[in-house]
Amino acid sequence: MKVLILMGSESDKPVMQESQNYLQYFGIESEMIVASAHRNPDKVRELVINAQPQGYGVIIAAAGMAAALPGVVSAYTSLPVLGVPLEGGLPGGVDALYSIVQMPAGLPVGTLAVGKAGAKNAAVLAARIIALSNKKIAERVEAFKQNGYRV
């Protein structure tokens, strides 16, 4: 099972690279794609509706400011969606945090911390989800825990 990492802007890559680094540690294949809910809504839709048939089991969606991407992703899929709020608008990224965490009932987005900590935790949470059905990943998650939650 793979993880799709979507982000709203090219400038988000340095932060979201942390997700990819952690997923590599767990031995989970991932792909990182820039697709904005505002600037590329058709691209987002196509990526998301084709994610599960292409072997993705979890989607990490990161965005700043209005942070519509994680919610839009959730509307198009039944896969777990993990939202990473990014700084870019109000100080500390609180605008993005509120946008992602305040989803309407029935459209869940698991919301992580703002920035790099959230990017790392999104990968760890994705690994824990995948570990439910993959013994090899479960062993790596346990080793991560035994190593003090460090890569």
Side-chain angles (χ1 to χ4, degrees):
M1 202 177 300
K2 302 182 292 185
V3 174
L4 179 59
I5 303 168
L6 297 176
M7 66 203 89
S9 173
E10 191 74 32
S11 64
D12 301 335
K13 278 188 176 179
V15 173
M16 296 315 297
Q17 184 62 49
E18 297 293 337
S19 283
Q20 201 159 48
N21 294 345
Y22 270 60
L23 290 167
Q24 287 172 351
Y25 170 84
F26 290 112
I28 298 169
E29 186 181 341
S30 65
E31 185 174 6
M32 201 163 46
I33 299 173
V34 174
S36 167
H38 298 109
R39 292 181 294 272
N40 319 101
D42 294 335
K43 180 180 179 180
V44 170
R45 181 183 176 280
E46 287 304 310
L47 287 165
V48 174
I49 64 173
N50 291 308
Q52 193 167 10
Q54 292 178 359
Y56 293 99
V58 178
I59 300 174
I60 297 172
M65 300 175 71
L69 183 61
V72 169
V73 168
S74 184
Y76 286 122
T77 188
S78 297
L79 293 174
V81 177
L82 307 178
V84 179
L86 300 173
E87 291 193 46
L90 297 176
V94 295
D95 48 348
L97 175 63
Y98 288 149
S99 293
I100 297 172
V101 82
Q102 292 289 58
M103 288 299 298
L107 286 167
V109 173
T111 308
L112 288 301
V114 176
K116 285 187 178 185
K120 293 172 183 177
N121 279 341
V124 174
L125 187 52
R128 288 180 174 188
I129 291 167
I130 294 169
L132 293 171
S133 61
N134 184 315
K135 185 177 179 182
K136 184 178 174 183
I137 301 301
E139 289 169 356
R140 290 184 180 183
V141 168
E142 185 58 31
F144 175 74
K145 181 179 153 192
Q146 296 304 319
N147 192 41
Y149 303 98
R150 291 183 303 238
V151 170

